Amino acid sequence: MPRFRAPDGRMLHYLDSGGTGPAVLCLAGLTRNHRDFDPLAAHLAPRHRVLRLDSRGRGASERAADPVAEYTVPVETADALALIDHLELTRLAIIGTSRGGILGMAIAAARPGLIAALVLNDVGALVEAQGLTRIAGYLGRAPQSADFDGAAAELRAANEAQFPGLPKELWTRVARQLYDDEAGRPVLAYDPRLRDAVAASFEGDVASVDLWPLFEALKDMPMLVIRGALSDILSAETLDAMAARHPALQHLTLPDRGHAPFLDEPRAVAAIDRILEAHL
């Protein structure tokens, strides 16, 4: 299990797969981990060195001593940069889902010239309060079911409005990605104290997060934005405004997907292939 030491000493887990091709770093969402990228990594690995980081407190990475101080975008950005330095990478692409996309933007802004291309999966210049409120509602709550079939059914009931028509097998795969297996019982694969850190970041009512200055700093960055048509995190209006301000922005919206697309959708995979081939 490969690990490296973060700037403050935390031991963080990552996966390094693929050959000697150009490097692609995959960064998962707030409560997610490297398993979210299993299908995409298998697709990319023949041509790319695919790296997947478990942010601190997620997956197999060490949990925080002080969640409010440590589970923040600046700290997690520094962690990702530490992995890049640990692997002595001087040029790579980043694919980031939700929180991972925010980290990708922050990394690109912090190290001009390092990131050859950036893929944002259902996140952009404005993060909608509606979606943040929904996420805050389930943060830190363990699944109620004692097995993965039940956990998959829970996920389906909670998310079917954003992901209509998905087969049972796909919900089971999502449950296996989201939860750890503890003797057959699904358990959270992240530190439940993430809830405390997110609550502290709002200091009151949940509000939209304005990332326009960060996005504007990347106007020359080759960028692809993938949006779920039913997303409550990235609105169609925000994506349109991003495209207007970034004329070279590549983007697509996937039907029957909310927050966030799985990145195994054929159109998403094809778009990722195109931007990596063009810029990496």
Side-chain angles (χ1 to χ4, degrees):
M1 182 182 293
R3 293 186 173 221
F4 71 102
R5 193 174 300 278
D8 64 356
R10 292 272 169 265
M11 296 303 296
L12 305 183
H13 169 256
Y14 69 98
L15 290 181
D16 186 346
S17 60
T20 58
V24 179
L25 174 60
C26 299
L27 300 172
L30 178 66
T31 64
R32 313 293 293 208
N33 59 75
H34 68 273
R35 292 191 292 259
D36 273 6
F37 296 102
D38 282 351
L40 182 63
H43 171 78
L44 294 177
R47 301 178 307 282
H48 297 281
R49 181 183 183 185
V50 183
L51 308 165
R52 291 180 277 167
L53 172 65
D54 283 341
S55 289
R56 61 177 61 206
R58 288 79 149 183
S61 286
E62 186 179 355
R63 295 186 175 187
D66 182 347
V68 173
E70 293 185 47
Y71 296 143
T72 68
V73 168
V75 170
E76 291 166 20
T77 299
D79 289 344
L81 283 167
L83 173 61
I84 291 168
D85 292 341
H86 171 72
L87 297 173
E88 300 181 339
L89 300 174
T90 58
R91 190 76 166 160
L92 69 153
I94 289 180
I95 300 172
T97 295
S98 193
R99 171 86 152 216
I102 296 173
L103 300 181
M105 287 193 283
I107 292 166
R111 295 266 187 97
L114 174 66
I115 307 305
L118 177 61
V119 178
L120 302 179
N121 183 23
D122 212 61
V123 70
L126 185 70
V127 183
E128 299 291 339
Q130 177 185 358
L132 293 173
T133 299
R134 176 181 57 80
I135 291 169
Y138 68 70
L139 260 179
R141 295 183 178 176
Q144 298 301 302
S145 298
D147 57 50
F148 276 89
D149 284 343
E154 285 182 39
L155 290 171
R156 182 174 191 168
N159 296 284
E160 193 166 25
Q162 286 198 18
F163 295 88
L166 294 186
K168 177 184 176 181
E169 304 80 57
L170 207 155
W171 286 115
T172 300
R173 189 190 87 187
V174 172
R176 290 282 181 182
Q177 291 171 340
L178 177 59
Y179 302 127
D180 283 340
D181 187 333
E182 191 173 272
R185 184 182 183 89
V187 297
L188 291 179
Y190 66 90
D191 187 346
R193 298 176 301 161
L194 270 172
R195 184 182 185 91
D196 302 330
V198 170
S201 70
F202 289 115
E203 299 180 348
D205 293 337
V206 177
S208 299
V209 177
D210 186 346
L211 299 174
W212 278 110
L214 184 56
F215 176 76
E216 295 279 15
L218 305 176
K219 62 182 179 180
D220 297 323
M221 168 73 58
M223 194 181 305
L224 165 66
V225 180
I226 299 169
R227 175 179 176 269
L230 303 178
S231 174
D232 57 5
I233 286 289
L234 176 59
S235 70
E237 292 77 15
T238 295
L239 182 54
D240 288 345
M242 291 167 66
R245 298 193 199 187
H246 190 329
L249 183 74
Q250 301 174 47
H251 59 91
L252 74 154
T253 297
L254 299 175
D256 296 330
R257 292 291 185 268
H259 183 74
F262 303 123
L263 300 185
D264 63 354
E265 300 85 357
R267 289 179 60 208
V269 172
I272 291 169
D273 282 343
R274 285 194 297 270
I275 194 168
L276 295 182
E277 289 169 5
H279 298 287
L280 190 59

